[in-house]
Amino acid sequence: MPGFFNTKIEFLKGVGPQKAALLNKELLIFTYGDLLQHYPFRYEDRTRFYDIREINASLPYVQLKGRIRSKELIGAGRKKRLVAHFHDDTGSIELIWFGGVNWIEKKIVPGVEYVVFGKPGTFNGKLYMAHPELEPASQFSLEGGYLQPVYSTTEKLKKKYLDSKAIGKIIQRLLNMAGPHIRESLPGSVMSEYKLMSKQEALPQIHIPEDQRKLQRATYRLKFEELFFVQLRLLMLKLARVDKFKGIKLQETELLTKFYNEHLPFELTDAQKRVIREIYQDMRSGRQMNRLLQGDVGSGKTIVAFICILIAAGSGTQAAMMAPTEILATQHYEGLKEYARLMGLNIALLTGSTKKSDRRVIHEMLRSGELHILVGTHALLEDVVQFERLGLAIVDEQHRFGVAQRSRLWQKNEDIYPHVLVMTATPIPRTLAMTLYGDLDVSVIDELPAGRKPIVTVHRFDSNRLKVNGFIKKQIEEGRQAYIVYPLIEESEKLDLKHLMDGYESVCRAFPDYQVSIVHGKMKPDAKDFEMQRFVKGETQIMVATTVIEVGVNVPNASVMVIENAERFGLAQLHQLRGRVGRGADQSYCILMTSFKLSKDGKTRIETMVRTNNGFEIADTDLRLRGPGDITGTQQSGVLDLLVADLATDGKILQLARQAAQALLENDPNLQLSENTNVRRQINQQKKTEVNWSRIS
Ligand code: ADP
Ligand code: MG
C-alpha cells in the first residue's frame, strides 16, 4: 500500500472532516505523512519531582508533589483570580488561575496530595506558577513514555480541543497503524557506516521516546536523513550541470601578464593566489563555472574579481558584475574603474538612476562589444541589456538574490552560459553556505593582507562619552580620522534624520577645532559625493553618517569607528562597519556605544564583536541568534524549511550527511544500483511533492 502516507488525515479515526480542515489550515497538515512529520518541539520529563526549594524562575516546566494548605478567590468579575498555597517539605509556592476559577476552586481539596506541573515564575520576589496542571497524586500515572512529547498547536486548534495532548493521541493512533508501511529511505551502507537507527524505529521513538538515549538516536537519524537528501539533491544538480553545460573556454595570458608585471599594486596574499588559481582552472576547463567566492571584510575580493574579469576580457569576452543595491554597485564600479583604466578596458555603471541617454550609449557599446565591463544593479537583468558575448558574470549577493535571479543572468548568452562567480560581502556560516550554495564550488579567501593590525574593539556606555571624545581627539591629533555612525530606524526616516542631525550638532560642539562631514541617505548624490570627497582628501577629520558608509568608502587614514546605539545593529552590519577602519597600517579602533539597557541578544552581539574580528565566527553567532530565515531573507527560505535539523546547531551532522551523499554519488552517480532503489524512490517522491525545488533546478 504505497499510498498510505498520502492518505488524507480526515480518514484517520478521531479526526474527521472538520478537524482535518482546521489542521490543514493551521498547521499545514494534510496527509498521514505530514502528521507523522509533525515532530514534538520539546519533551517533558515527568519522571522527576522537584523540591520546591530547588526551583526558580529560570527553570522550564517542572513537576512538584505536595499539598494545598489553603485557597482564596481574590477580586471580582473578570479580574477574579484563584490563588492556592501549595507546599511540600521544603517550601511553598503560589498556584494562580485567572480563568475558569470557580470550576477549579471547587475541584481542589486542601490536604490532599497533588502532582503539579507548570512553569515557575516570580512576582515581587515571590515564586508562583500560573495555570499549572494539577492531578491528585493517587491518580497520577505516566501515560506512554517517560518523556512526554509537546506539539506545537494554535489557539484555534485548542478551541476545538486539539491541544498538544490531543495531537499526541492522534499521532499515536496513526503510529500504531503505520508500522508496516514505514520504509527505510537510506541505503544500508550509509546506515551501517554512520550507525543510524532504522526509520521504522526512529519515527515512533521521536514521538514517544522510551528514554533519552533512544530519543537522541532517533532525532539524530531523522536529522541526518533530512540533511542527506538536501545535500544529495544539490550535489546531483551540480553533477548534472557539469555534464550538461559547456563553458566558454577562456585562455588568456597576455593581459594577465601585463597586469601582474606593470600594475599589480601589492603582492597578492597566498589565499588570493590560491583562489585565483581555482577560478582560472574552472574558466579554462570548457565547463561552465559556478563558484562561490567568500572572504572576510577587507580580505581583498575586489582585486580577485578584477583579475577574473581580465581573464574574460583577454579572451575576447565581456564581464558583468551585479550588486543588490545602487550603493554597492557604485562602490564596485569605483573599485574597478582605476584598474580598468590602467589596462585600457572600457567599463560602465548601469543602475536605476542612469540617465536615459547614457543608457542608450551603454546598450549600444555592449552589443558591439566595445564595452568590456558592465557593473550594475538589477538593471542588468533587463532584456534590453544585451551583450556581444558575455564570458563572466560576477554576482555580489549579500544573501539577497535568489537562485532564479542568478539564472536570469545566465540567459544573457544564447548559445552558451557565461561563467558565474557568486560573491558575498560578509562571510556566511558554513552550514548555510553548504545549503544555500551547496550546488556551487566554493573558494575562500581565509587570510587578510599582511601588516594589518587586528582592530581593537571596545564597548562603552553612553555615560562615558567624554572619555570617548577625548580618545577621538588624541587620534585626530596624531593625524588620523574618525567615523561616527548612527543607526537607521526604518519605520521613521524623519526621526532618523533628526537623530542624526542632533548627533551631528553635538559632535560639532564637542570638537570645535575640527571639521566635520555629514553623509546620509536622503542627500542628493552630488552633495553626498562632495562631503565624502572632503573626508577622503583629509579636509575633514570626522565623518558623521548613517549606514550608507557601510559600503561606500575606503579611507585608509581613518582609524576610529564609533557606532552609536550599537545594540540596534545586526552583527553582519556591525562587522561590515568595523571593516571601514583597519585598512591602513595604523592601529585602528572600533567603539560600540550603548545605553545601559541591553537586551540579551544585544548583549551577545556586542560581546561577540568585542571578542573577535573573525567574520566567519561572527556569522556563526549571527545564525544562532537569528536563525537561517532571517539571515537570508525570504527569497531562499524554501530551501531552508527543515523539519528536524537546525543549521545553527547541526553543522556536524550536515557535514557527515554531505560526505555520505558525495560518496554515494561517486559510486553511483545516477542512482541505478539496486541497493540505492530506496534513495531514488525518495528523491522522486520529493520532486513530486515539493514545489520549492523547481526554482533551483
Ligand atoms: P573586500 O574583500 O572587503 O572587498 P577590498 O577588495 O576592498 O576588500 O580590499 C580591502 C583593502 O585591502 C583595499 O584597500 C585593497 O586595496 C587592499 N588589499 C587587497 N589585497 C591586498 C593585498 N594582497 N595586499 C595589500 N593590500 C591589499
Ligand atoms: Mg568589497
Side-chain angles (χ1 to χ4, degrees), residues 25 323 405 592 641:
K25 198 160 155 250
Q405 270 170 314
L592 305 171
D641 277 341

Side-chain angles (χ1 to χ4, degrees), residues 297-298 300-302 328 331-332 396 423 425 551 576 580 583:
V297 179
K301 293 184 285 290
T302 310
L328 256 177
Q331 187 214 359
H332 283 312
D396 185 344
M423 295 197 326
V551 288
Q576 183 75 31
R580 297 298 106 196
R583 300 188 153 231

Side-chain angles (χ1 to χ4, degrees), residues 9 40 61 86 95 155 159 171 255 457 675:
I9 43 164
Y61 285 71
F86 181 85
L95 310 180
E155 284 311 314
K159 274 201 190 118
I171 290 178
L255 274 187
T457 303
E675 64 197 68

Side-chain angles (χ1 to χ4, degrees), residues 32 60 84 157 176 204 235 255 284 347 409 417 448 486 545 587 627 661:
Y32 285 7
L157 285 168
N176 290 340
L235 290 168
L255 274 187
R284 67 203 283 190
I347 182 169
L409 255 184
Y417 290 137
L448 295 180
Y486 288 82
Q587 178 63 58

Side-chain angles (χ1 to χ4, degrees), residues 5 11 17 20 96 98 150 209 213 327 343 352 371 394 405 447 466 491 501 523 563 584 618 672 691:
F5 291 106
F11 300 117
I96 304 178
F98 298 96
V150 182
R213 210 184 103 75
I327 293 177
M343 295 303 295
L371 191 60
I394 302 177
Q405 270 170 314
E447 177 187 2
L466 279 180
E491 308 89 73
M501 290 327 257
M523 282 163 80
I563 304 177
I618 288 170
Q672 281 165 331
V691 271

Side-chain angles (χ1 to χ4, degrees), residues 187-190 228 232-233 235-237 239-240 243 659-681 683:
S189 56
V190 172
F228 174 83
L232 190 67
R233 296 174 71 162
L235 290 168
M236 285 172 78
L237 207 65
L239 269 182
D243 276 354
Q659 179 187 310
Q662 203 136 22
L664 188 86
L665 287 177
E666 261 160 39
N667 201 24
D668 182 14
N670 298 313
L671 302 179
Q672 281 165 331
L673 298 181
S674 64
E675 64 197 68
N676 294 327
T677 315
N678 44 357
V679 176
R680 196 175 58 235
R681 193 187 315 125
I683 287 262

